[in-house]
Amino acid sequence: MNRPKVSSSWIGAAGNAALDLRSDTQTTPTPSMLAAIQSCSLLDDVFEEDTTTADLEAHVASLTGQEAGLFVLSGTMGNQLGLRTLLKQPPHSVLCDHRSHIIQYEAGGVASLSQALVRYITPSNGVYLTLDDISDAILPWENSDIHCSPIRVISLENTLNGMIMPLSEVKMISEFARERGILLHLDGARLWEAVVAGAGSLADYCQYFDTISLCFSKGLGAPVGSILLGTKERMGHARWVRKSIGGGLRQAGVVSAPARVAVDETFGKGPNGEGGLLRKSHENAKRLEKLWVDLGGKMQYPVHTNMCWLDLNSSGVSLERFIKMGSEVGLRIADSRLVINYQVSEEAIERLQGVFEKVLAEKDDVSQEEKINRYAASKDE
Ligand SMILES: Cc1ncc(COP(=O)(O)O)c(C=O)c1O
């Protein structure tokens, strides 16, 4: 039998991702993901018959110590179904960090799907929310005063901007919430990264939440998909809501098979990501932080995992100019945030070093007045 030709974009493994620092969503699916697609089951997941998808759900449920999992198309879908499943009816509110994905980047889904008010707070330590931040934000009378929209769910994100919320803080917040009948959702799109950095296992973290959303298509590098986790009853309800928004999939193995490869190969087969590929991206992010700081640059946030947040303002270079300098050497940059995916190449790190040197050399050469002029000019470019 003549096999169909495999498109050349599957063969190069890293592909464009090698020089792409915009996001860890920019990975290229691998040949072993293609092989998994070629041998997956091709059954109907709306009828719950697709074994490749059911196996993935059971596997991740077991890794995280949860009763059940539900494969979903995206991290946004996982978060929104999780919140919809935990919330009953208005008036109700969700409390979260002001930088949370659920409020900043999910198209207002908490309002449209759950009709919830979102109350967001700023962490006093600048990195992650603490129990004190949360307890200060919840008024003692809000469950009984009809002027209030009571907080029914606290939604945490880990990692957030690449930074880890420590397990000890999560435990305290969870105990506080459970004593008050408040439920907890975790946007764990990048929880894998915290685990690989040694912060605790998936199950250690997940035990403190009622629903958890994990992404396969961020650092793990799958082309599509996330998973929502929780009790069997809650996942049954989430499956129902998923259907109502058009997220029921037919031959879902085609997308769940590469997601399984992403878990086994990129995260690794051990419970803490042993044997996986994420550690390398953390090392590269730390190398970039050191290069930048050694050259006199300042950081916006510390590097905990795979994100490196440069403070461009203090270097006197505009974002536009920084992006342009990157593109002149073939790097794709979108922000002062550099995200290191596991396919980012050594070549990318070397080219970034060159860009850093150029940016920070300009800083030393140039008077304050000149810097302001250049900044204004580059804004007009
Ligand atoms: C922390 C976090 N949660 C959720 C999402 C949503 O994922 P998706 O783009 O798959 O909807 C993202 C996307 O970048 C994210 O960074």
Side-chain angles (χ1 to χ4, degrees):
M1 186 184 82
N2 279 340
R3 277 187 172 273
K5 263 201 178 155
V6 173
S7 127
S8 59
S9 48
W10 282 97
I11 295 164
N16 293 334
L19 299 173
D20 200 324
L21 298 135
R22 291 174 299 170
S23 171
D24 47 10
T25 53
Q26 299 306 310
T27 48
T28 305
T30 62
S32 53
M33 292 177 185
L34 178 61
I37 295 169
Q38 287 172 318
S39 58
C40 72
S41 59
L42 291 171
L43 301 168
D44 190 312
D45 186 53
V46 173
F47 295 169
E48 298 187 46
E49 291 170 355
D50 187 60
T51 46
T52 300
T53 306
D55 285 352
L56 173 71
E57 290 170 341
H59 178 63
V60 182
S62 137
L63 273 180
T64 53
Q66 297 297 302
E67 252 178 42
L70 180 72
F71 184 81
V72 290
L73 284 171
S74 66
T76 300
M77 192 181 266
N79 283 334
Q80 295 302 326
L81 290 183
L83 294 169
R84 181 58 280 183
T85 300
L86 296 181
L87 292 162
K88 296 298 171 227
Q89 62 177 354
H92 51 199
S93 304
V94 174
L95 185 71
C96 64
D97 188 305
H98 71 111
R99 302 161 298 178
S100 300
H101 201 274
I102 61 154
I103 176 163
Q104 296 291 350
Y105 309 108
E106 298 192 3
V110 192
S112 54
L113 193 64
S114 292
Q115 298 175 290
L117 177 72
V118 182
R119 282 163 55 184
Y120 51 89
I121 48 179
T122 302
S124 45
N125 61 24
V127 178
Y128 57 84
L129 286 180
T130 62
L131 174 59
D132 286 346
D133 296 330
I134 286 174
S135 60
D136 286 354
I138 299 182
L139 308 171
W141 55 86
E142 65 177 75
N143 269 359
S144 52
D145 184 326
I146 65 159
H147 296 92
C148 300
S149 171
I151 290 168
R152 301 290 186 214
V153 172
I154 297 172
S155 181
L156 303 178
E157 186 173 315
N158 206 1
T159 61
L160 191 159
N161 287 350
M163 295 181 292
I164 296 170
M165 176 179 274
L167 192 56
S168 53
E169 200 66 50
V170 173
K171 178 173 188 286
M172 289 192 295
I173 294 170
S174 172
E175 284 167 359
F176 167 90
R178 283 178 176 166
E179 274 164 22
R180 285 159 184 75
I182 298 173
L183 299 171
L184 271 127
H185 172 72
L186 173 64
D187 177 353
R190 297 187 178 82
L191 185 64
W192 317 96
E193 308 282 350
V195 171
V196 166
S201 69
L202 289 169
D204 288 341
Y205 271 103
C206 292
Q207 65 180 314
Y208 296 119
F209 293 90
D210 299 291
T211 48
I212 303 119
S213 169
L214 304 180
C215 286
F216 303 122
S217 63
K218 307 283 175 312
L220 299 200
V224 177
S226 290
I227 191 165
L228 183 67
L229 299 141
T231 61
K232 267 194 188 138
E233 193 187 342
R234 286 199 173 110
M235 292 309 100
H237 185 73
R239 184 179 288 276
W240 206 335
V241 183
R242 185 186 71 174
K243 189 77 181 86
S244 78
I245 57 170
L249 296 179
R250 297 302 176 179
Q251 286 72 41
V254 172
V255 277
S256 60
R260 176 61 187 264
V261 173
V263 174
D264 289 350
E265 294 186 359
T266 318
F267 177 66
K269 288 203 167 156
N272 297 311
E274 293 88 348
L277 304 167
L278 295 181
R279 234 164 240 119
K280 184 81 190 149
S281 24
H282 297 191
E283 281 163 25
N284 277 335
K286 290 233 153 67
R287 278 172 71 198
L288 288 175
E289 179 185 45
K290 184 166 182 331
L291 283 170
W292 177 254
V293 170
D294 284 354
L295 288 164
K298 290 201 172 68
M299 299 293 292
Q300 216 174 318
Y301 295 121
V303 172
H304 289 180
T305 55
N306 67 328
M307 291 189 196
C308 188
W309 288 81
L310 309 178
D311 179 355
L312 291 180
N313 284 341
S314 69
S315 73
V317 70
S318 71
L319 178 60
E320 290 79 355
R321 182 148 167 72
F322 180 64
I323 292 172
K324 196 163 167 234
M325 283 173 162
S327 77
E328 279 164 7
V329 293
L331 296 173
R332 303 198 80 175
I333 296 173
D335 208 337
S336 55
R337 175 190 86 159
L338 303 172
V339 188
I340 321 306
N341 75 68
Y342 79 100
Q343 294 171 331
V344 159
S345 61
E346 189 56 30
E347 180 66 32
I349 306 293
E350 283 162 21
R351 292 188 202 179
L352 269 171
Q353 180 172 3
V355 172
F356 288 179
E357 282 164 0
K358 217 163 137 190
V359 167
L360 294 162
E362 279 191 13
K363 178 185 181 208
D364 294 336
D365 285 352
V366 173
S367 70
Q368 192 59 24
E369 194 186 349
E370 174 61 17
K371 261 188 270 174
I372 292 165
N373 290 340
R374 276 195 196 176
Y375 184 77
S378 72
K379 288 241 160 216
D380 298 334
E381 274 173 13

